[in-house]
Amino acid sequence: MQDPVNDVVILGSGPAGLTAAIYTARANLKPTLIEGAQSGGQLMITTDVENYPGFPNGIEGPPLILEMKKQAERFGTTFIAGDATEVDLSARPFTIVVDGEKTLRTKSLIIASGARAKLLGLESESRLMGRGVSACATCDGFFFRGKEVFVVGGGDTAVEEATFLTRFANTVTLIHRRNTLRASKIMQDRAFRNPKMKFLWETAVVDILEGEFGKIGGLLLKNLKNDQTFVAPADGIFIAIGHEPNTSLFQGNLTLDERGYIITKPSTTQTSIVGVFAAGDVQDPTYRQAVTAAGTGCMAAIDAERFLEAESHIVIPTAGIVMPVDRFLP
Ligand code: NDP
């Protein structure tokens, strides 16, 4: 026998998904949350979080997620450890397959599957993540006051992160594999004028070297013009070679932008399919903060609740006459 149809299924367990769970649970919608491959999302690889309101002394990413999870559990969220591996959004109820095994059916879906920073793919990079290696200057820049910091990349993200880091670091060296940046002209000009900024052109990061106390100690770099390698002492390296949203499951189902982010109707979390909502980094190439993710998670929960409420008032007077759901949407 099939399981009953859920009112709400949430994909993702970062701040967006967990906030959506708290709100939908408190609205008695008994949400089921599929945690995803990286339970807790990007905050699980962040050390101190000092910009999330309510924590004057800061809090580390993992305990912050744990507190949100406890809050969602308290109001009756069901958590499923695993990843959504298939979705069918072509008809309602929508179906979601978890880890190729369990199938859930749901009247509404909140996608909060997040985004991930593109990484270089070095073993040392994941080993030293949070110990000098970071992919988020806004999150971690503060800890590099007076330090020697490097940023990899040549786009707007890299130049923006590098410029931000000059507020704290002694020197910020941008490492780029080409001899020109692809960042916008205005941001380039600002970076070139900044006395704390240095540039290593046509250079690649070969390895990130471990120093004392299990933290980063330096970088093994390669000059791509002459293939010579050299070591640069470093207190930190920020990988800023772009982000990618976790939307491979939705390609061909939902309208995505050219970079793969889910497009939502302005000022709402409504996607291109009625009853499917998106929150957090999966639909946000711009802000990408824990607090903005939580904010849109709240919006998605309210949008889903209103959608279900409107749908419950659909009357089917006689067999064969179905009222279009779209009529009841805001
Ligand atoms: P981009 O794709 O624009 O740039 C990525 C950069 O990383 C490129 O310079 C690329 O090099 C380099 N890179 C990619 N892979 C590697 C690798 N494996 N090793 C070394 N270097 C690598 O991504 P961004 O995140 O910078 O920007 C994405 C979009 O967001 C852009 O449209 C940008 O304009 C926008 N944006 C706007 C901002 C703003 O306006 N304030 C801020 C941030 C982003 P190469 O040049 O050789 O390809």
Side-chain angles (χ1 to χ4, degrees):
M1 208 178 71
Q2 278 189 314
D3 288 342
V5 177
N6 293 272
D7 279 330
V8 188
V9 166
I10 299 164
L11 296 187
S13 51
L18 292 172
T19 305
I22 293 165
Y23 273 76
T24 49
R26 294 192 76 254
N28 267 346
L29 294 174
K30 299 185 173 50
T32 296
L33 185 148
I34 302 167
E35 295 190 36
Q38 189 187 344
S39 178
Q42 294 183 79
L43 277 185
M44 298 303 282
I45 54 165
T46 306
T47 50
D48 301 78
V49 179
E50 293 191 329
N51 53 10
Y52 199 88
F55 299 93
N57 300 318
I59 182 168
E60 294 205 340
L64 176 59
I65 285 293
L66 191 64
E67 293 298 322
M68 291 184 195
K69 194 171 174 185
K70 279 197 250 169
Q71 200 173 348
E73 258 165 358
R74 182 181 150 211
F75 295 110
T77 304
T78 301
F79 287 87
I80 298 184
D83 205 8
T85 46
E86 278 171 63
V87 287
D88 183 355
L89 307 180
S90 62
R92 286 193 298 130
F94 307 123
T95 56
I96 300 121
V97 180
V98 183
D99 288 339
E101 289 170 0
K102 186 175 174 55
T103 299
L104 300 177
R105 295 180 301 149
T106 184
K107 293 180 196 166
S108 69
L109 176 65
I110 296 176
I111 302 167
S113 49
R116 56 184 182 277
K118 288 189 207 160
L119 296 176
L120 297 168
L122 301 169
E123 180 277 326
S124 51
E125 180 184 42
S126 37
R127 179 163 38 87
L128 296 170
M129 185 62 71
R131 291 186 285 147
V133 179
S134 172
C136 176
T138 331
C139 318
D140 299 329
F142 184 79
F143 305 106
F144 293 87
R145 197 174 283 283
K147 306 277 188 192
E148 298 300 318
V149 170
F150 291 75
V151 175
V152 196
D156 278 327
T157 299
V159 174
E160 193 172 69
E161 301 254 292
T163 306
F164 177 79
L165 287 166
T166 60
R167 295 187 197 180
F168 312 102
N170 192 29
T171 312
V172 179
T173 306
L174 193 83
I175 304 169
H176 186 33
R177 61 188 179 184
R178 296 182 197 275
N179 61 8
T180 52
L181 298 171
R182 73 165 64 224
S184 52
K185 186 78 175 55
I186 188 162
M187 289 172 77
Q188 290 193 33
D189 289 347
R190 200 174 301 149
F192 291 141
R193 280 200 310 270
N194 191 320
K196 283 187 165 183
M197 289 271 310
K198 287 186 186 167
F199 297 85
L200 272 176
W201 303 109
E202 293 177 83
T203 303
V205 179
V206 178
D207 204 3
I208 302 169
L209 309 172
E210 191 167 328
E212 286 184 325
F213 313 115
K215 291 188 172 179
I216 179 179
L219 302 174
L220 180 63
L221 302 173
K222 185 196 231 179
N223 181 327
L224 297 172
K225 283 178 288 187
N226 58 19
D227 276 350
Q228 295 288 307
T229 53
F230 60 102
V231 172
D235 298 309
I237 181 167
F238 287 78
I239 317 297
I241 59 173
H243 281 80
E244 50 196 357
N246 298 317
T247 51
S248 53
L249 213 51
F250 307 107
Q251 272 159 19
N253 296 315
L254 293 175
T255 307
L256 309 178
D257 74 7
E258 67 288 352
R259 287 174 284 171
Y261 288 89
I262 296 175
I263 294 179
T264 52
K265 189 174 155 192
S267 305
T268 76
T269 60
Q270 174 67 60
T271 70
S272 56
I273 293 182
V274 171
V276 180
F277 306 90
D281 287 8
V282 77
Q283 52 83 58
D284 173 17
T286 311
Y287 300 104
R288 300 194 304 241
Q289 300 297 302
V291 69
T292 51
T296 53
C298 161
M299 288 167 63
I302 292 172
D303 287 346
E305 190 186 340
R306 289 183 181 159
F307 163 74
L308 292 166
E309 171 68 14
E311 203 187 37
S312 71
H313 291 126
I314 294 175
V315 181
I316 304 178
T318 53
I321 302 174
V322 180
M323 304 285 270
V325 170
D326 302 29
R327 275 186 50 183
F328 296 88
L329 287 171

